[in-house]
């Protein structure tokens, strides 16, 4: 996964001022929590829809400002 981060940084798709191990935690932590919440709620929400909301928000947070 760190290789993908490096590619994205090199391509200017995500910020390069955040250490890659921190990027890993920023992405996997919330995703893991989302899955845990879904399981604890016995599937009370659409996991795919909420995952997409989470990913869209992460793209905004990690994007390189124009």
């Amino acid at each position: 996964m760190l290789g993908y981060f490096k590619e994205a940084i090199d391509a200017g798709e995500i910020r390069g001022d955040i250490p890659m191990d921190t990027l890993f935690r920023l992405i996997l932590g919330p995703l893991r929590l989302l899955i845990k919440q879904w399981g604890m709620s016995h599937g009370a929400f659409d996991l795919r829809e909420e995952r997409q909301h989470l990913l869209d928000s992460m793209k905004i947070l990690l994007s390189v400002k124009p």
Side-chain angles (χ1 to χ4, degrees):
M1 190 167 222
L2 297 178
Y4 290 121
F5 292 151
K6 177 144 179 40
E7 284 180 32
I9 290 168
D10 291 345
E13 296 171 349
I14 62 173
R15 298 170 56 134
D17 60 342
I18 301 171
M20 283 195 269
D21 60 329
T22 302
L23 283 173
F24 182 82
R25 290 183 193 115
L26 285 171
I27 292 174
L28 270 291
L31 188 57
R32 183 176 175 206
L33 176 59
L34 179 63
I35 293 167
K36 185 72 169 175
Q37 288 174 321
W38 179 77
M40 291 177 66
S41 71
H42 305 288
F45 57 89
D46 185 335
L47 183 58
R48 289 182 179 162
E49 184 178 322
E50 290 301 316
R51 176 210 49 155
Q52 192 59 53
H53 291 305
L54 180 62
L55 292 176
D56 291 344
S57 296
M58 285 181 187
K59 285 178 186 177
I60 293 168
L61 289 171
L62 297 174
S63 68
V64 177
K65 292 185 178 183

